[in-house]
Amino acid sequence: MARYNGPKTKISRIFGEPILGNGKWLGKNSNPPGQHGEKRKRKTLGEYALQLREKQKAKYTYGVLEKQFRKTYEEANRRKGVTGDNLIKLLESRLDNTVFRMGIAPSRPAARQLVSHKHIEVNGEVVNIPSYLLKAGDVITIKENSKGRTSITSVVTAKNPKFSWVDFNETTFTGTFITYPERESVPENINMQLIVELYNK
């Protein structure tokens, strides 16, 4: 699966939840996508289909391709603890995701673009790799000559949700990745155990 750049509403309707947007259209049309979506009933999925669907949901949510997702899973499996919990921690510690969580960007794709275009620094050094994995205590900031861009600062100064594992100062445009989040703190509706079961087949 290449990185998805198509209609976000279509993906949200496939999964029946707003994984790529605010989901405002789901209330109006929650049918499966397609010309005959209204007439089609959602099928009862088997075990493998449910597992595969959950993995696809995670990949769409975090914008990760298959090769990179498998690599992340393998790292989660090597670490001590519950593999599913480790997987969500690693996905949440990605630089693009953290930029999004801090409210520097309105979406993960927008955050990925900020990182790729070298607007973000980690511990004083420019990092342009969206998949860069942060460690507890890492300091993230908007590059000095990017702070004057209203396209960036207008999003930062908007009212953004707060998450316990990151801290961001909207005055200095500096934040800290405090710690890896616990699974119950992450709002995404993804069943990591189903993904673990899929890879263990």
Side-chain angles (χ1 to χ4, degrees):
M1 181 185 77
R3 184 162 287 120
Y4 185 74
N5 293 313
K8 296 178 182 179
T9 304
K10 178 181 179 180
I11 299 303
S12 295
R13 286 171 60 191
I14 288 175
F15 293 100
E17 53 188 278
I19 64 171
L20 286 179
N22 59 21
K24 62 182 180 180
W25 296 108
L26 285 178
K28 297 180 180 179
N29 188 354
S30 58
N31 296 316
Q35 183 179 356
H36 304 292
E38 186 177 356
K39 298 178 182 179
R40 294 205 319 264
K41 292 184 178 179
R42 293 186 183 274
K43 296 179 180 179
T44 301
L45 301 177
E47 182 183 56
Y48 176 77
L50 283 172
Q51 294 166 345
L52 183 61
R53 180 188 178 94
E54 213 63 19
K55 184 183 75 167
Q56 290 173 330
K57 188 198 297 185
K59 287 164 60 179
Y60 276 121
T61 298
Y62 290 96
V64 183
L65 303 181
E66 175 59 36
K67 183 178 179 180
Q68 195 173 51
F69 193 85
R70 175 175 281 277
K71 184 178 178 181
T72 304
Y73 170 79
E74 290 171 351
E75 174 61 27
N77 196 35
R78 277 194 295 269
R79 297 192 176 192
K80 292 182 179 179
V82 179
T83 300
D85 292 349
N86 290 341
L87 181 57
I88 195 73
K89 288 176 180 179
L90 289 173
L91 291 170
E92 283 292 326
S93 69
R94 285 171 55 98
L95 181 56
D96 56 354
N97 181 75
T98 303
V99 167
F100 164 65
R101 290 293 193 206
M102 287 181 171
I104 300 174
S107 65
R108 289 185 180 88
R112 190 175 303 116
Q113 188 174 43
L114 282 181
V115 174
S116 298
H117 291 182
K118 300 182 178 181
H119 293 297
I120 302 298
E121 293 180 350
V122 178
N123 300 327
E125 299 290 334
V126 173
V127 177
N128 64 340
I129 304 171
S131 62
Y132 179 88
L133 295 179
L134 298 167
K135 299 182 294 295
D138 281 348
V139 176
I140 297 90
T141 187
I142 299 175
K143 195 169 67 172
E144 192 62 38
N145 62 3
S146 299
K147 292 178 181 177
R149 294 173 175 255
T150 55
S151 59
I152 298 175
T153 57
S154 62
V155 174
V156 173
T157 54
K159 191 174 183 180
N160 296 306
K162 305 296 182 183
F163 298 93
S164 60
W165 61 93
V166 295
D167 179 62
F168 187 74
N169 187 310
E170 296 174 359
T171 302
T172 61
F173 301 114
T174 300
T176 303
F177 181 76
I178 300 170
T179 186
Y180 294 106
E182 296 301 323
R183 176 64 190 95
E184 57 269 18
S185 301
V186 179
E188 271 63 28
N189 181 29
I190 301 172
N191 189 330
M192 289 297 173
Q193 182 56 35
L194 289 178
I195 298 174
V196 173
E197 291 171 2
L198 176 67
Y199 278 118
N200 283 338
K201 284 186 179 296

